[in-house]
Amino acid sequence: GYGLSSIYAGFSINTKEDYTRKVWTPFLQAGFTYPYTNLVLKGFLPYETQDFMASDRERTGWQALAQLHQQLPLHSELKAVAQFANDPDAEDDEVFGRIRGYDKNFYSNQGAVFQASIYKPLLRIRQGIWAPQIYLEDISAGVFYDLALTERKNVTSQHAYGAELLAELGVAYNYAINLGDRYGFNVEKDQGQVDIIFGTLF
């Protein structure tokens, strides 16, 4: 049936900065499946203390992530992600990543990031080779809009839009990789940026 399709709970521990920091992160993840729609919700609670497995700071924060994959008419699809955080004791560069159209991370430990893309296949290849195992699915064109927001007075919000050309590759039977080009226009700095895409999209 449709609705809740998976739920996971657990924790991770990460050490960094020459072992001076130990970050405990309990998490909860739930997946939902509906006709033509997949939604994943994740919640994280990063925690550091100077008392047990001592870190260099006291930290209690929360972060949340929502990922949406929606099939649209004409074989097109919408991919969207929203990330929220209130993690004031974290470093500014360790909460959010880089949004498209920018060449550096969004430096804030409080705020929200929204990213959305619509893709339409231009060519359906659906062929590959066995040695090495590489399978080429579709070559698609897409448009995107990314927005990063914060209420912190010393941090500037970011937003950008642009277009992408992607080849979807399957490698070694289990791995999906996107290869392509991206042109993003950075609205804050009023300039464009060209990127090579190699990896996975949210």
Side-chain angles (χ1 to χ4, degrees), residues 16 37 42 55 62 69 96 120 142 150 154 166 190 194:
K16 59 178 76 174
T37 304
K42 302 177 183 179
S55 194
W62 69 266
H69 185 191
F96 297 105
K120 174 76 170 69
T150 182
N154 61 333
L166 294 176
D190 193 25
V194 178

Side-chain angles (χ1 to χ4, degrees), residues 22-192:
K22 288 93 175 174
V23 185
W24 296 82
T25 308
F27 66 87
L28 181 66
Q29 174 180 320
F32 299 86
T33 302
Y34 300 96
Y36 310 107
T37 304
N38 287 301
L39 175 65
V40 176
L41 303 177
K42 302 177 183 179
F44 309 88
L45 295 174
Y47 174 75
E48 295 181 70
T49 180
Q50 296 174 331
D51 296 328
F52 174 70
M53 293 191 66
S55 194
D56 68 354
R57 70 194 67 194
E58 294 289 334
R59 173 188 177 190
T60 302
W62 69 266
Q63 299 178 26
L65 186 71
Q67 295 173 298
L68 174 67
H69 185 191
Q70 174 71 53
Q71 297 292 326
L72 300 175
L74 303 176
H75 303 290
S76 57
E77 61 182 351
L78 166 68
K79 291 185 177 181
V81 63
Q83 181 181 359
F84 305 91
N86 184 14
D87 201 350
D89 299 314
E91 299 292 341
D92 284 350
D93 62 350
E94 65 180 332
V95 175
F96 297 105
R98 180 172 70 96
I99 70 170
R100 292 168 291 187
Y102 285 77
D103 57 6
K104 63 181 181 179
N105 286 5
F106 179 52
Y107 290 123
S108 180
N109 52 23
Q110 296 171 287
V113 168
F114 304 93
Q115 297 178 277
S117 304
I118 295 177
Y119 297 101
K120 174 76 170 69
L122 301 178
L123 292 173
R124 292 183 168 234
I125 308 297
R126 308 297 171 91
Q127 296 184 25
I129 57 177
W130 289 104
Q133 199 281 325
I134 299 176
Y135 182 79
L136 178 59
E137 286 201 45
D138 298 339
I139 296 177
S140 302
V143 293
F144 71 85
Y145 180 77
D146 288 4
L147 174 65
L149 299 171
T150 182
E151 294 183 355
R152 289 181 50 182
K153 295 181 180 179
N154 61 333
V155 180
T156 302
S157 296
Q158 300 177 346
H159 58 122
Y161 60 88
E164 298 176 332
L165 184 65
L166 294 176
E168 300 171 327
L169 301 176
V171 180
Y173 301 100
N174 293 317
Y175 302 100
I177 296 175
N178 293 291
L179 180 65
D181 291 314
R182 173 188 301 129
Y183 177 79
F185 186 79
N186 178 323
V187 179
E188 176 202 350
K189 295 184 178 180
D190 193 25
Q191 65 184 26

